[in-house]
Amino acid sequence: MRFAVDAHAIGRHLTGNEVYIRSLLRAFAGVDRKSEFVAYVSEPGAEQWVPDRFQVRRVAANPYRRLGWDLARLMRIDAPDLIHVQYTAPLLTKVPTVVTVHDVSFLEHPEYFTRIRRTQLKMTVSRSVRQAARILTVSEFSRDAIVRAYGLEPGKVRVVPNAANPEFRVVGRERAQQTVRDLLHFNAPFIFSVGDLQPRKNQIGLIAAFTQLLMEHPQLPHHLVLTGKETWFAAKVKEAARASGLASRIHFTGFVPDAELLQLYNACDCFVFPSFYEGFGLPILEAMACGRAVACSNTSAMPEVADGAGLLFDPRQTGEIKRALADILLDAELRGRLERLGIQRAAFFSWEKSARATLEVYKEIVAAAGGTQMKPARTTVAAGQSKR
């Protein structure tokens, strides 16, 4: 069997979408040594994240060209048994499509998106899920939301959860703290949060809670570190930090590679994830895998992911966020218990299990379509594309 995967997100700092496809490809290589895989990438250097035995094809970064022309043309050459995409399927494809939809926040909370972006997603995702042979999503919460939004039969949507990559693990804490001191140039314990600087991630609410925390407990020496790509909303988050009166204790790192993220998770005193809405909430598991106590929102899929191993709060209530942080920082016994439970919870998920479940869906679709297609004896690679 030959499976095609739209991997254009690799190398574009698209956070969850990029982590998902990179992790899945790597896990495929470990659990399926018989099938052929073709990965369609856009960014220079993206090939390094694709397993060596997989074919790599170049498609345009421009979504109109990629979806309207490149993918359809290359699939005629590659003749895969299906193609797997995230959110948006290519036009004019004649092979079955598997579509991963992580969440439908653009429908349930359109205020978190620009008008152009939410209009585009409404149109393209609706078309894609209706033509898909199967839809994958990452949580029971998201499955229910997708079925409700599009009026689908529940059996058409399969839940295959994310996982923390093996790189996220407990490492020497003192060394991690030294690495962070060298990186951020301050020497103090800190609270850590990860997420693009956008309204949905609620960094402004977290800054307000951090301010209240230090007003009520001035003996705490903690700083707040916010890691995530800057967006159109970043200026408002940074203004909230300046207005708090604690700007010298609030640090913005921007996007960081996984090697630095590992050190930040391990060095922090606790991890907080105050997002309003998540289809999964992967940073929760990453922090838990690094042995950190986690406090997170009690909305959308986050309670499903934390499942008793994290301290939950209402993200719209600043006082609740503050109280959760205080409980973890001031109660060593609670913090230690959450750290132990978190390591156990993170170990429950693995990309190997997720890859096997995804491949089961692929094979079901191929079987339903009548088996594998006839493959060309030789594949031609067009100019400007790579093949390994």
Side-chain angles (χ1 to χ4, degrees), residues 133-150:
R134 191 81 80 252
I135 299 153
L136 301 182
T137 194
V138 291
S139 65
E140 299 289 344
F141 168 82
S142 285
R143 181 182 63 182
D144 293 346
I146 292 166
V147 168
R148 185 169 60 247
Y150 296 106

Side-chain angles (χ1 to χ4, degrees), residues 49-123:
W49 298 104
V50 180
D52 288 340
R53 72 178 181 85
F54 291 7
Q55 291 184 327
V56 178
R57 305 290 203 193
R58 182 77 59 190
V59 294
N62 181 292
Y64 299 103
R65 179 175 171 183
R66 174 172 55 86
L67 296 166
W69 172 251
D70 284 356
L71 287 173
R73 177 177 59 84
L74 287 172
M75 283 191 291
R76 287 196 296 271
I77 297 171
D78 296 328
D81 291 296
L82 59 77
I83 183 168
H84 184 178
V85 303
Q86 296 186 76
Y87 287 105
T88 306
L91 299 172
L92 306 176
T93 178
K94 295 183 178 180
V95 303
T97 303
V98 175
V99 180
T100 294
V101 178
H102 297 275
D103 63 61
V104 288
S105 54
F106 55 92
L107 296 176
E108 298 196 325
H109 290 281
E111 67 273 17
Y112 299 148
F113 296 81
T114 63
R115 182 176 59 83
I116 292 175
R117 181 60 173 159
R118 66 176 178 257
T119 300
Q120 177 255 316
L121 285 168
K122 285 180 181 180
M123 293 174 58

Side-chain angles (χ1 to χ4, degrees), residues 326-365:
D327 288 347
I328 290 175
L329 296 176
L330 298 172
D331 188 337
E333 182 179 349
L334 171 64
R335 186 167 64 251
R337 184 167 73 251
L338 290 173
E339 290 170 353
R340 292 189 297 273
L341 289 172
I343 289 174
Q344 295 170 9
R345 180 58 179 164
F348 177 79
F349 300 86
S350 80
W351 280 111
E352 178 181 337
K353 289 194 291 188
S354 297
R356 290 187 187 279
T358 301
L359 288 167
E360 286 179 10
V361 172
Y362 288 3
K363 292 170 184 178
E364 288 173 11
I365 291 169

Side-chain angles (χ1 to χ4, degrees), residues 16-80:
N17 289 356
E18 179 172 353
V19 170
Y20 174 81
I21 206 63
R22 275 173 28 195
S23 304
L24 209 53
L25 289 174
R26 181 169 60 178
F28 284 161
V31 302
D32 186 342
R33 301 185 181 278
K34 294 182 179 180
S35 301
E36 298 177 20
F37 294 86
V38 184
Y40 299 119
V41 303
S42 297
E43 293 298 312
E47 294 86 355
Q48 68 178 304
W49 298 104
V50 180
D52 288 340
R53 72 178 181 85
F54 291 7
Q55 291 184 327
V56 178
R57 305 290 203 193
R58 182 77 59 190
V59 294
N62 181 292
Y64 299 103
R65 179 175 171 183
R66 174 172 55 86
L67 296 166
W69 172 251
D70 284 356
L71 287 173
R73 177 177 59 84
L74 287 172
M75 283 191 291
R76 287 196 296 271
I77 297 171
D78 296 328

Side-chain angles (χ1 to χ4, degrees), residues 166-196:
E167 288 86 349
F168 293 106
R169 65 198 187 283
V170 177
V171 300
R173 189 130 192 265
E174 290 186 5
R175 184 172 179 180
Q177 289 171 334
Q178 182 60 56
T179 299
V180 172
R181 283 196 292 270
D182 294 342
L183 179 68
L184 300 181
H185 309 294
F186 73 88
N187 185 14
F190 66 95
I191 299 161
F192 186 42
S193 189
V194 174
D196 292 350

